[in-house]
Every structure is written in structure tokens, then in C-alpha cells.
Amino acid sequence: MSTAVTPYLEMAQAIAEAGGEAFRKCYQCGTCTGTCPWSPVTHFNIRKLMRLSQLGFDGIEDLMWGCSTCKFCVDRCPRGVEIIDLVRAVRGVYAGGGLLPPPLRAFVGSLTARGNPWSGDAPKRNDWAQDKYPLFAEGKEYLYWTCCTVCYDPRNVLVAKASAEILEKSGLSWGLPGTDAQCCGESVRKVGDLELFEKLKANNLGIINAKDAKKIITISPHCLATFRQEYGVDYEVIHFSELLAALIKSGKLTPKKDAGGVKVTYHDPCYLGRHSGVYDAPRDILKAIPGVELVEMDRVREQSMCCGGGGGGLWIERAKGERLSDLRIEEALSTGATVLATACPYCIAMLEDSVRTMNAEDKIKVKDVTELFLESLDG
Amino acid sequence: MDFEPKILCIACNWCTYTGADLAGTTRLKYPQNVRTVRVMCSSRINPSFIIRAFQLGADGVLVGGCHPGDCHYGTGNLYARRKLAVTKKILEFAGMNPKRFRVEWISASEGAKYAQVVEEFTGDMKALGPQTTFKINKD
Amino acid sequence: MSRIGVFVCHCGLNIAKTVRVSELAEFARTLPDVVVAEDYKFMCSTPGQELIQEDIKKHNLDRVIIAACSPLMHEKTFRKVVENAGLNQYLLTIVNVREQDSWVTDSEEVATEKAKALINGAVYRARLLQPLVSRFIDVNPDVMVVGGGIAGIQAALELADTGKKVYLVERNSTIGGHMAQFDKTFPTLDCSACILTPKMDAVLQNSNIELLTYCEVEEVKGFVGNFDIKIRQKARYVDHDKCNGCLACTEKCPGRSVSEWDEGLVRRKAIYIPFPQAVPQKPVIDRESCTFFKKGKCRVCEKVCEQAAIDFEQKDTFLDIKVGAIILATGYDLMDTKPLVQYGYGKYPGVYHALELERLFNSAGPTSGKVVMRDGKTEPQSIAILHCIGSRDKNNYEYCSRVCCMYSLKFAHLLKEKTHGDVYQLYIDIRAPGKGYEEFYNRLVEEDVKFIRGKAARVTDKSDNPDHAGKLIVEVEDTLTSQFVTIPVDMVVLSPAMKPRHDAKDMARLFNLSTDKYGFFMERHPKLAPLSTMTDGVFIAGACQSPKDIPDSVSQGTGAAAEALTIVVKDKMELEAATAVVNPAACCGCHNCVNVCPFGAPVFNYEKNVSEINEALCKGCGLCAATCPASAIITRHFTNDQVMAEMEGLMEF
């Protein structure tokens, strides 16, 4: 029995046609794997995945779910290889035919049937608002696109409420989307299901164009990145933290209540930082809160460590010792901070889960910058 | 009788003319409707040359020069590029089919490209038929 | 009325097989103004040439047309033939009936018809051709070499040995360049100073070389054969004519600054020579760190100088020189690796770059050749050498810097020798193309250097592993075993990209050169003319053209010297005759020609209010003629009338 393998070029071709042709540029230097946050904790090896794709070798299925699309490798790659596109293409080629891991089947199923990944009832999308907040209509200035996660995930609903309250207090003209809004589709696109993504995108673009929305705020950096890069439209899309930082700077909102000298450290979400280039706005918000001492971790800004939630990671269960969010909590604890602030619902979900499983609830709390800001605003 | 177009090619000495020679050295075959005038640089070309060529009965005019950035004289072909782009617009404005005027950047090593462009352009001119817009009839 | 002779070459069967040559000659005879038409087997042969010359005389021809191979082939040959028969060489036209006719079609009919049209075009043009006279100008025999590194030194010595006078201009206070900073050189492990200092000394001793150190080129005017250069001699506050190099002044000087020569590893005095073997051995005062210039006190150097050579009143002076050719050999800089935060240079003291390590190895360096850390004491027990830091990298420099694999191997060898420590070599590919290079690599592998194929991703000082405490951790994937590896080491050495000098673009502007997309000086042709530039008379050598090692720099130095010699070995230079000229009556003074010419040939005469073209600079490209809105510029040999006449002839058939 020969153990010799032969390049299976049809597979490589299929991957290239699915959008992974970037593998042609790779010269296998290993910078990506050396940089990847998963390399020290799992057997996931992005360079190897690239190599197998180049020649169509077996083994792709074992590696392709390890990536959380954090973009650190892309930033460091000396050849400018679009590595995330390869991951997406490989998943796209393999994702049909039952090769989705079970947790992602539920995720895709929920999106197909209900337009959100949380198996939430579509008509209940705005229930968290309890009719307190306006709906967007033509003529209003800002459409606040609430991420499915803040609409349905109980922990993140608190972020929806805090952010909506801030908008009310700001006096801006704004409104929520109707319950026909569906998931922005960012995660499902990275999971490889382009067809489902296009359906969700078409639905959402229809809503946005029908309401003639010109300025969109997102609370999730994933929605932000997708609207800016994949939806291909010319309206302005900003992250909530950018808007809030601007409101603080112009004096429209001024936090008054002293936080009492609390040490806060900030975690740069991959999709807000590396993907969208927003590093200062959330920090400006924290610095504006009186009584907050901002301490920085070692791996911040462009070098931020992924929480593991991107690329479908939020729905994939990982074994203890293989969780990036655990490492991140350790790093946060090492700064002496008692609050870990961030600006992404996925990061909040991942980091809070780690705090719980590490029994660190009395040592550190995970908060969204909007929650911290609102606390300081009332006072 | 099959229509055989008359094509004037104005080629720069350092790149396109040399490339055309290379096509010959490698014995490539292409339609011989093209007659070439050699200039030192594509930047030498005055738009009036193009118009004159059509007046003289050219069915198609082809200009060849060095690739932008590689001009033997540094920046000559960059000016040529713009000038000839405007020339094309003027031709169109004056009623000439702009397809009859083509500019190609062909380097000294691109003999095959020269042959291919001439082949293509000759075919295009055959399809378009005789040029009558500017041609001055001697009688 | 012209008297035109047409000569059709058979070129054996090359033309005659497809073009009906006698029919062609017959046809030519029918054209107006053609008084004779011949065909012959090999026009370029001696009998062929004689045929032409006889006919010129017999028929009193004043224009000659030769239908043969491409003008790019034999135009020069036939121009001489015609000139020798007493006819101006510019009254000759070559018609290409081979490369662009007989060789590109199989049809006799088509080939012959086209040849007829081509000859007709040539006849129309020939009627309008004018005799042109080449002009000659005197050539200055001297040469200026800018840059006193190995390439510049080599060029200067070669030229001086031919008897030419060379001005060697160096901005530092010593010659030697980067090579003088090295300890040993690959692959021979020659001591760098041992092979370089004899050359440096030869420069000093050679009476044909005027060594201008601590000088910079301020202004360049003129053109090939006749450059006017203004050189700034920076104030050094020491009279080098009086100074005898005893260096007593450097002993007591209280002023301190970071030593550039030692890559910032130590400090130097305000009055200093960069290194003990500096040429010339005369110190300079660095004004910024001199106590007297800063506070008005001290003057110790003045007190101890027995030659009374200290002169605080000294100012920058200027020197005007004239040369016939220029060689630029200004070398390279290493890229600053601080912005690559993942490697921690500048953050972790244990991270070094290549030149710093060279200075550690160098016996005349800050540690007298001992490899110790920045505390001056600790010897590293484990070192990682990281290849490709900034090279082969789209985010920094896309090219390969060519020498780093080799010097990294050299480092590994020297580290093994001097520290007996563990040495790790983190690479993507090992590039060892030169003579003896692969063998050197083999030697290193046998010296138990640990090679890891993977580009280093990160250097950190944090680790969960208690064994790694106090160490720098290098994170890398060992791609050959697909494993993520963390290596604890004492010292990290980065091999940074070699980049153009920080002011290369300013230099290029000064000398009217182009730079490539990275900022290196652009050569005329990367394969066939790597040492000449588009500016006649200015040549380049060494790393200022592209990253390279010492053997190549030396070769290029010699090569550039030869190139420069082709200019200055002649007394006179022939100028291009097919140049442009302005008709002052038509010139409207718009300056367009002045603005577009790549060579600066048109100059606006403010007294006459018209443009005038410097024929020495004009290359005859014709851009100005096509740009001039008043049609005031005539390009000789390619006038509007001549070109359009040719077109008319071509289109007639």
C-alpha cells in the first residue's frame, strides 16, 4: 500500500474559484502560524491549511474550523496573502455535504429559518426595547442597527438597553430597524455559506434603501465591518463608540458620576481594531469617565489577542486549555484591573463565559464601554 | 475583390520598432497591410500626423511606443499617452470612428505582441471597411 | 530636384526569396528623382559597399536609399559608406524590407507590393532630407566619485591608475563606508579592515586622487564631458593642513555624543575620529556635542594641540571643480527595525540589529571584540538570528536584500567561536548564490547551528514557562515539522533590510537621476547597462543601485570606472546631430518646451524672450516639437514635413 500522495489540483482549483486564489501568493514562510493566537493552544495551523489548499491534499477538513478570522496573520503576512478569504473559500467548498460541525449546523439552521443565529423569534427582535425607543423612519438621521446578539442574548441585551438609552439622552434623531431586519450575515459568510449571506444581505439592503437610511450606527464591530466592506453601499456606517466619542468631544454628553478610582483595561475587538481601524474612540470614552484609571494590557491595538468568537467561533465549543478568552482574562487580571471593558457583543459573550468558568467573577467584570459610560452619565 | 486596408504604423525607435524587428527575427507571420514610419520617440508624434494619415487614405492608424515608465528618454511616452488619448477624442468628435486609431505600448522584447496587435488591428480594419471620413480623393 | 540612388539588397535569399528584388529595383527606377536603382546580393559586403560608392560618384547622387535589413542593424555601417563617398551621412535612408517584410510573410506578391510602398515612402522623405553636421566639444579629463565606501574607493583607484585625476567626495570624516564597520567578511572570513585599509591607504597615497572628506556635493551643473560641481566642505573646526593626527585633543575632550560609527552602542567625544584606522587620521569637532560651542567654555583641545590646529572660527567653505564624468557610489542604510514592534528592537535590550553585532565582533569596537550584552559584562549563552526582517515583505521592502543570509551565517560562525553558545538561525530560504557561498553554508550546518525554517513571528519577554524566566522568547513556526515553537534565548539578532540612503531621492534630483520604486538609483538597463543611468556621464556603482555584497560592489566600482573612462579618455565628444532647434520668430515664449524636456535642453533666454536649445543636452526625442503650440521647434532629420512626406509615400500605393 503506497503512502505516496498526489496533488489533487481539481480541489485546489475549486478552492481558488471559491475565492481562495490568494494561496498562489503564499511562500510558506510560517509568519502566519507564528503570529496566530491559536498556535500555542490548539493544533490549528493556518500555514498548513494554506499548503494543503495549494496542492489539494487531504487534511483540509481537520484544520478549516480552527480560524476565528482575527486578521492578525493577514496584517503580518509578507506576501499580502488574503488568508481569511482562503479560509472562507475552503469552508465554502467543504461546508455543503454535511461537513459543518454540529454546533454550526444549528447556527446556519437558525439563520435560514429565523434570520438570526440565536433561534430567536423574528417578531420579538425589538422586545428588549419595551417600546421605549423609536423605530427608524424616513427623515430620521441615524439608523441604529442592533446586532442579533444584543437583541436576543440575555447578557448582551443589557448593552442594547444601555446604548439605546445613551442615544435618547444625546438628543439625536435616531431609530431602530423594524423586526424584518435580519442578521448582517458576517459570521455565516465566514463560515462559508455565501448563498445564505447573499439572502440576508439582500433583505437588509432592501430595508435600508426603502427607508432611505444614510447614516447607520452599529453596536457590533462585525456588522460594522460587513456593512463597510461587503455590502458595497455609499451610506456612512460608524461604530457606536465612534459616535459616542464624538458626542463627548463636542460636549453633547458629559459623564459626571465618579467611578471611584476603578482600574479598567480595554480589550480591542478584532473586528473593531484590525478589521476596521478603530482603536482610540473606545479609549477616549473610558478616559472621559471621571475616576477611571485606564491601564493597558501588553497585547493591545494592532496586537490585540482574539477572544475566539469570530469566524463562527462564538458557536463552537472549545475544550479548556484551548480557549483564547481564558488567556485574555488572565492577561487582563495581570494588569490589576477589576473591569475589562470592550466594545463588541461577541467579545463580551466569550470573555464573560471565561470569567465564569475560571471562577473569577469576584476578581474582574466584563463591561461594554456603553454600559460604563451610561453608569457615569446618570449622576 | 476582398478589401485590403491600408494601415499606417508610427513606431518609436527604441521599443516598438525594435519589437517589430524581433517579430521578424523570430519569423512570426502577420498581415502585411501595415506600413511603418520610424520616429525616435512616441512623444514626437503630433496629433496632426494622425489626421494627415487619414487624409492620405489610411484606413487605420496604429501608434507604438515604450511602456509608460520605460521610455528611453525618461518621460516622453507619458506625454504621448495623454496627447494621443486627447487625439482619439478629437477624432471621434470630428466624426472619425475612434476604433480606427489604436495606441499600443510594445517593448523591444515583445515581438509576439507586435505581431498579434497588427493581426488584430488589420482584422478590425477589414471589418470596418474603407475609411472615407477624412480621405482626400486626389481627383 | 534630387538625384536619388536606390540600392536593393538580396541579403542572399533572406530578402530575395520572398521579395522580387529586381522588380523592386525596376519599380524604383520609375519613381521621380530616382536616377539609378541597383540590386545586389549583399549590400553590406565590400563589393556591395563599393557599388554604392561608385554610383554616388558616377551619377552625382545627393540622396541614397538602401532597401535591406533593419536600420537598427546596419544604418551605422552604411552611413560610413556614404560619408566616405563624400556624401553627408544624414542623406541616407534605410528601408527595412527584411525584418518587417520578407521575414514576416510567405507571399511574394504581398511582400513585393509592401516593399514598393516602403521605398516610395523613403523617396518622398529623401527629397526633404538635409545634411547635418556633427559637432564636437572638448571633454574634461577629470572624474568625480561620490561616496568613499568600497565601491567608490575601487572606482577611484582604478581611474587614478590610468592616470586620470579623481575627486573622491565623502560626507563622513573618513572613507571606508559600511565595510570598515565589519569584523570579518563572508565567505572567506577575511578580516574586513585587513583587506580594506590597504585600499584606503592607497587612496590617501595616490597623487591622482584628491580626497575630499567631510564634504558634500552642493550643486551640479553642466552636462557630460563638462560638469561644473560645487562642493561644500563642512566646517570641522580643525585645520587639517596643520593637524598631524597625534589625537592628543581627543583624550581630554569632555563633550560626549552617541557614536554613530559604533551604532549607538557607546559614546564618543565631541572631537573625534570615527575609528582608529580612519583615513584621513584627522579629527573633526561635532558642534552639537562640543562644550565650547554649547556653553562657551572648555577649549581643552586647543590647549593641548601642539600644532595649533584647532580653529573654532572655521566656516563651511565651497570648492568649485570641473569634471567630465561622475560616479555615484553612495551606498545604503539599514532599515530601522523599531517600527516592527513584534521584534522588540528598542524595547528589549537583548535585541540587536546586524550592524550592532558587527561592532561587537570588531576588535576595534566598543567591547574590543567580545560578545557581551549591553551591560558590558554578560555573555549570551543562546542567540537567535532572525532572517528577512523587513525584506521580502510587502509591508516593508518587497525585495530580497541579498546579503543577509550570508552574513547571518557568518554571525552564527563567529558566535559559535566567541561564545560557544547555542545559535539558532530562523530563515525562510537560505540564499547562497556566490562563489564559495554554498560551501560556507554547509560548513555552518556542520558547526551545529540550529536551523529552523520559519520566519520569526514575535520576540517577547513574557512566558508562562518558569524555565524561560529572564530570557527573550522567540516565537516561530518550524514549518518543516508544522510545530509552533518558542525558543528562550539571551540575545536576538535581526537581519534588517538594506535600503537606499535616507536622502537618496535628494541626491537623485541633484544629479538628474531617476530612482526606482524603492528609491535606489535607476540604471539604464537592469541587465545590459546596470552601471550607467539615463543621464549621460553619470554612473552608479555598489549598493546605491541595489543591495549587493562586497565582491559585486568591487566589480561595479571597476565597471563604473571603465564606463567613466569611455567619456574622459577622449579629448573631444561627438554630439548627437539630429537635435532640435527653435525658430525664434515663431516662439511664443510659453515655456512648454522648457517644462517638458527630460534633459533640460531648452533654456529660456530672458533677454531675447525665446527658448533656445542646448544642443549638447538635446537627445533628439522630439517631445518639445510635438508640445510646442506655435510649431516653433524643428527636430532635425524628423521634421514634420519629412515625416508626413514619408507617410504620403507609404499611403500612395
Side-chain angles (χ1 to χ4, degrees), chain A residues 27-29 34 45 47 78, chain C residues 392 394 453 455 457 477 482:
Chain A
Y27 65 179
Q28 291 283 298
C29 67
N45 185 323
R47 179 207 48 85
Chain C
R392 304 183 67 187
K394 255 200 161 86
R453 190 197 174 273
K455 179 170 163 175
E477 189 210 354
S482 300

Side-chain angles (χ1 to χ4, degrees), chain C residues 586-605:
Chain C
C587 174
C588 64
C590 71
H591 280 71
N592 269 329
C593 55
V594 176
N595 292 338
V596 299
C597 177
F599 305 100
V603 174
F604 199 75
N605 182 326

Side-chain angles (χ1 to χ4, degrees), chain C residues 200-220:
Chain C
M200 286 164 63
D201 197 58
V203 164
L204 196 60
Q205 304 300 338
N206 196 311
S207 52
N208 282 336
I209 300 180
E210 186 165 331
L211 184 53
L212 297 165
T213 51
Y214 219 54
C215 290
E216 299 200 34
V217 176
E218 182 86 0
E219 199 178 51
V220 178

Side-chain angles (χ1 to χ4, degrees), chain C residues 81 89 121 169-170 172 185 196 219 253 276 321 357 382 388-389 415 433 438 456 530 589 622 642-643:
Chain C
V81 169
Q89 56 179 318
V169 181
E170 165 59 50
N172 209 337
T185 56
L196 179 60
E219 199 178 51
C253 174
I321 61 171
L357 195 62
S382 49
C388 296
I389 304 304
L415 284 168
E438 181 70 19
Q642 287 163 354
V643 174

Side-chain angles (χ1 to χ4, degrees), chain B residues 6 21 32 34-35 44 72, chain C residues 70 534 638 640 650-651:
Chain B
K6 269 193 211 160
D21 275 357
Q32 291 301 292
V34 63
R35 289 101 190 263
R44 171 74 189 89
H72 179 82
Chain C
S70 170
M534 292 304 285
F638 290 95
N640 285 348
L650 289 176
M651 292 290 116

Side-chain angles (χ1 to χ4, degrees), chain A residues 14 62 95 104 112 129 157 172 177 239 242 251 280 297 325 331:
Chain A
D62 301 326
L104 287 181
T112 314
V157 160
L172 291 176
H239 186 254
E242 295 180 282
D280 290 313
M297 290 182 278
S325 42
E331 195 179 352

